[in-house]
Amino acid sequence: MKRLLLKNIGLLTGIYPQDEGPKCGEEMSHLCQISGAWLLIEDGRISGFGADSDGSLPSSFLADSSLEVMDAGGGIVLPAFCDSHTHIVYAGTREGEFLDKLNGLSYEEIAARGGGILNSADLLRKTSEEELYIQARARLQEMIKGGTGAVEIKSGYGLDTEPELKMLRVIRRLKEESPALIKATFLGAHAVPRGSTKEAYVEKICSEMLPAVAAEGLADFVDVFCDDGFFSPADTARILEAASRYGIRPKIHANELAVSGGVQVGVRYGALSVDHLERTTDAEIEALKGSKTIPTMLPGSSFFLGIPYGRAKDFIAAGLPIALASDYNPGSSPSGNMRFVMALGCIKMRLTPAQALNAVTINPAYAMDAQKEVGSIAIGKRANLIITDKIPSLTFIPYHYQTPVIKAVLLGGDVM
Ligand code: NIG
Ligand code: FE
């Protein structure tokens, strides 16, 4: 058995037992932590931790010569980030549209000209599964280096049965081969493909695509882009109804471009999360109260598209949990840097560092149903950890947001 002792930890933070529930409302402001700590990893999982008061370790460790020891150098040790919303399986890039955007076109205008998601779909169909895998793996590796240890990945650039299955097989291979924990989401309803009507495509999703996805067991979740110009709440309900027959839970794109009704339909179908929420009224906050659905905001896409940031503080004041994710995709957020997401949570959404840390670790772990494995420092969970340089405080991480403070990332106890 491989045993690794992390010693000389300045601050061990984000300590929550398995299955305690997401952090809601006021709880989001608190972090359970130990100043001056050690942590033991056995076979890739956290098997113990405690205070080292004066820098001294339990005597049983000192006598144990089989123990590998790593010195954290007085840095902070925190759970690796969980990114509960990404689209990292895509072909090529969309730099041309970036230039269109700089010339004044909005996301909707680019999509209406046949660009956007349809542009990525054209390219994806021409790209082999192997090549797609290579490109997605490179993005995933970059995210891991940045401190991310769990990633939800969506399909949605195939927009037909075979290319959607191709994307989901790429995600399955990432699941098998990456040290990060991966969850797969079937997002057939990302856009209406060229040459089809919305009605015909929704019918195809329900009667052909979902059954094929379910038959291969390729999706943990189902998603619909429920927004202005894409899919309506009624389309969404139809798709979620069909998915529920296979026991596939929803995670919904809602309220990015308009107050879409997506939050309400998501809650009605027991969605694990409703994501984006740049445009929300009090009605959406009310709808989420008492539900198990985690409101998830994607400040990287607000930043990149120049659209409003979600009302994170209002959701928290209403006693709700919130999660933050990167939305890494070629059109609205070409970055999977969760440290930047955390900084935007503080700088633009006025979250405290504690709220922001909970929003990028434990709460997104729940939003991707991975809380038993990741998202906190807990005995039995995977040793997915970030070790920082010796820095003045946790606040320094979002405050000095570009100083490269991450000294090491451990996934399953291995240094990445
Ligand atoms: O979450 N909003 C829909 N889907 C993505 C964008 C996808 C794309 O433009 O390629 C998003 O922002
Ligand atoms: Fe998205």
Side-chain angles (χ1 to χ4, degrees):
M1 177 166 60
K2 193 179 163 209
R3 300 170 76 223
L4 173 68
L5 176 71
L6 261 181
K7 68 168 189 180
N8 195 15
I9 299 171
L11 178 73
L12 181 65
T13 191
I15 305 169
Y16 303 118
Q18 268 169 328
D19 270 346
E20 205 185 57
K23 303 291 138 204
C24 300
E26 187 46 39
E27 291 166 356
M28 287 200 68
S29 302
H30 303 292
L31 283 170
C32 183
Q33 50 195 23
I34 304 173
S35 293
W38 56 268
L39 181 140
L40 184 64
I41 300 167
E42 290 181 311
D43 277 342
R45 290 185 185 263
I46 298 168
S47 63
F49 54 85
D52 67 2
S53 33
D54 50 356
S56 60
L57 291 166
S59 51
S60 57
F61 290 150
L62 302 174
D64 188 341
S65 59
S66 72
L67 206 57
E68 207 184 306
V69 180
M70 190 170 169
D71 191 331
I76 300 179
V77 171
L78 55 141
F81 302 127
C82 298
D83 193 345
S84 60
H85 181 138
T86 83
H87 309 247
I88 62 169
V89 177
Y90 59 85
T93 56
R94 302 220 303 261
E95 277 138 75
E97 291 176 9
F98 179 60
L99 297 178
D100 293 341
K101 182 172 104 80
L102 301 184
N103 284 321
L105 289 191
S106 69
Y107 185 81
E108 292 95 316
E109 285 163 339
I110 293 169
R113 288 173 153 203
I117 295 166
L118 295 182
N119 198 346
S120 288
D122 292 342
L123 207 53
L124 183 125
R125 290 173 190 203
K126 290 186 236 153
T127 306
S128 72
E129 191 169 318
E130 180 66 18
E131 176 57 25
L132 261 184
Y133 170 75
I134 290 168
Q135 292 186 20
R137 185 183 57 186
R139 296 179 192 118
L140 184 57
Q141 277 165 350
E142 176 197 331
M143 295 166 80
I144 291 171
K145 283 273 180 225
T148 298
V151 186
E152 180 260 14
I153 310 174
K154 299 172 194 297
S155 69
Y157 296 116
L159 308 183
D160 203 349
T161 311
E162 249 328 296
E164 282 290 314
L165 291 173
K166 176 167 84 173
M167 287 190 77
L168 288 165
R169 288 186 197 118
V170 168
I171 302 172
R172 179 174 62 193
R173 190 165 160 203
L174 293 169
K175 224 183 227 198
E176 289 162 1
E177 296 181 6
S178 169
L181 182 152
I182 308 283
K183 295 274 179 156
T185 299
F186 169 57
L187 174 57
H190 199 190
V192 178
R194 297 189 206 283
S196 178
T197 63
K198 194 179 72 171
E199 290 60 39
Y201 187 53
V202 170
E203 170 57 31
K204 188 172 199 179
I205 289 173
C206 297
S207 63
E208 183 183 316
M209 296 167 76
L210 259 169
V213 168
E216 286 193 50
L218 286 169
D220 298 299
F221 312 114
V222 63
D223 194 343
V224 176
F225 188 8
C226 181
D227 224 316
D228 216 21
F230 290 83
F231 297 88
S232 69
D235 302 327
T236 306
R238 251 196 93 194
I239 294 167
L240 301 191
E241 193 70 53
S244 72
R245 281 184 234 122
Y246 301 99
I248 304 178
R249 277 187 79 182
K251 281 169 69 67
I252 298 296
H253 275 76
N255 299 50
E256 174 184 2
L257 309 173
V259 178
S260 69
V263 170
Q264 288 82 350
V265 69
V267 168
R268 183 143 52 88
Y269 283 90
L272 209 48
S273 70
V274 284
D275 303 25
H276 269 291
L277 314 178
E278 289 87 348
R279 328 260 174 185
T280 34
T281 66
D282 294 343
E284 281 70 39
I285 295 180
E286 277 308 310
L288 282 157
K289 284 187 188 166
S291 77
K292 293 223 178 311
T293 303
I294 300 193
T296 300
M297 292 168 209
L298 312 170
S301 57
S302 298
F303 172 77
F304 188 78
L305 296 179
I307 62 174
Y309 287 84
R311 295 165 55 190
K313 284 286 207 198
D314 293 338
F315 283 77
I316 293 173
L320 296 169
I322 62 153
L324 299 178
S326 75
D327 197 21
Y328 194 168
N329 76 75
S332 65
S333 183
S335 160
N337 186 328
M338 285 297 282
R339 181 164 168 222
F340 183 54
V341 167
M342 185 185 171
L344 288 175
C346 295
I347 298 163
K348 295 291 190 182
M349 302 165 103
R350 301 275 168 226
L351 297 175
T352 64
Q355 290 170 329
L357 184 66
N358 284 319
V360 294
T361 54
I362 188 69
N363 283 358
Y366 275 91
M368 58 190 287
D369 194 25
Q371 68 279 359
K372 291 200 173 70
E373 287 286 309
V374 292
S376 69
I377 307 295
I379 295 192
K381 285 198 187 183
R382 294 190 191 187
N384 284 11
L385 308 168
I386 293 172
I387 306 173
T388 74
D389 287 328
K390 191 165 188 216
I391 51 176
S393 68
L394 181 72
T395 301
F396 191 84
I397 298 175
Y399 158 59
H400 244 255
Y401 65 97
Q402 280 196 318
T403 304
V405 296
I406 297 179
K407 186 165 75 174
V409 178
L410 269 60
L411 295 191
D414 293 325
V415 178
M416 294 295 111

